[in-house]
Amino acid sequence: MTLISNLQTWWQTRHASAWTDWPDGDLLEHYRTAGSTAAMDLLIRRHCNALYHFLLTLADPVLAEDISQQVWTGLIERPDQYQAQAASFRTWLFTVGRNRTVDELRRQQRWQWPSTDDSAIDRTIDDEHVTLTFTERDDLNEAFDQALTALPFVQREAISLQLEGFSLADIALITHDKPETIKSRLRFARQQLKHSLEENHD
Amino acid sequence: MTDRKQTSLDSLYRNRRQRHPAPASLHQTMHAKLSAKTTRRPRWVAVAPVMASLILVFLVLRPSLETTSVLTQADFETVADSSLAAPVAPAPAARQLSKSTSEAPMGDYEAFSADSIVADEIVVMAEPAVPALEEQNLAPLRPEQAVNGLNLKIIDSQQGIAIDCQGEAVMADVLKGRPDDQWLELTWRDDDWKVNALQASPCSSETTTDADR
């Protein structure tokens, strides 16, 4: 069987380069119907780092790795759990990862629903579409890490998802919140980050 | 005032993501899961190559099996036809051949053919006995073999071949020109062959051949 498996892997890898342009849903469908492990491997390589980093931002390295493994293993075992009609594959993937993380944080009693202090949001500033820029300095990356992890959970996940490239509707879908709520959280997160990074610099 | 380079929030996030990639252990685990999934293929995937191999072997072997079958059938029919036209008389050669056929090393297919022959058909199988004898490297009959007299039955008068009561074939010039199926008593005496024609088989066991039964 080893020889057959190796030949099969070689054959699939030979075609893997042709799949780089395939959408996620098609790759998953190919894996589901034809059992192409190369298609699933490509899917993992596309999104593994992004999902892990998102979960790391929400929790910690151990939980991020654990949840990532759960999500991918579940998908490998039961690829039919993703329904293309509901959302894009990436949105679905992040939704599953986010839900599992929240469940695990609750189980570990580390979950606290943060109350957003709306009064802290300066509603006069509409910087939703303004690109935030910061003057480069040696500790900027470290300062960004600290500022991001210091954000409340809901703002952190909202800004992380936005910086991952998700639309407002997708973020609302992933977090099970209304778009308006997400918009507020994003505004808060951006102001907080701007304030933290500029304040540290000053 | 110095003009310092600006970095966007998106750029900072991308940098952070690059600095925190998924650990190698996670990738290894996923590869292991995928490999395990590959080995746990549906049964038909594993069975298909085996079935294909079996079909291939069958297709390769079938022509040779058919050829053997046809030849066997043709031989049987030819022999059966000739036996209808001229019944083969019971002969020691028949018994000898049937004995040698059953004792000779053979494959399963040959063994099946030999075992499937009933007693009456042993005579039919005696037909190829002459060519078989011709192929043997028969040693000339030595005089010392016939000092006390040797009972022989001519089976090939042209080549001077005969068989004794034990079915052993011998060859001698003195046997040439004798009628086929003739029993003789051959004796070496006074440095010469003495031939005495017999009316019947002198062999006691010869009276009950397989074909007679």
Side-chain angles (χ1 to χ4, degrees), chain B residues 29-137:
Chain B
T29 306
M30 290 306 108
H31 278 293
K33 295 275 183 190
L34 276 177
S35 299
K37 188 76 176 175
T38 307
T39 55
R40 280 186 279 119
R41 293 226 160 279
R43 277 184 188 168
W44 66 267
V45 176
V47 168
V50 177
M51 289 301 295
S53 303
L54 287 175
I55 291 170
L56 190 66
V57 168
F58 175 74
L59 289 174
V60 168
L61 289 181
R62 194 177 67 168
S64 61
L65 286 174
E66 281 181 348
T67 307
T68 309
S69 175
V70 167
L71 285 174
T72 307
Q73 184 70 14
D75 287 348
F76 181 80
E77 287 173 357
T78 306
V79 169
D81 290 345
S82 63
S83 66
L84 284 173
V88 178
R95 192 174 56 186
Q96 181 209 6
L97 184 71
S98 65
K99 181 182 175 186
S100 61
T101 305
S102 60
E103 286 176 358
M106 60 184 74
D108 290 343
Y109 185 76
E110 293 167 322
F112 172 78
S113 301
D115 292 343
S116 65
I117 297 171
V118 295
D120 287 345
E121 290 171 330
I122 291 174
V123 177
V124 173
M125 292 294 289
E127 285 296 316
V130 173
L133 285 172
E134 285 174 347
E135 288 168 11
Q136 291 181 21
N137 186 17

Side-chain angles (χ1 to χ4, degrees), chain A residues 128 162 166-173 179-180 182-183 186:
Chain A
E128 187 181 341
Q162 188 185 48
F166 287 104
S167 67
L168 197 64
D170 286 338
I171 299 170
L173 202 61
E180 285 304 314
I182 301 300
K183 202 180 280 187
L186 287 172

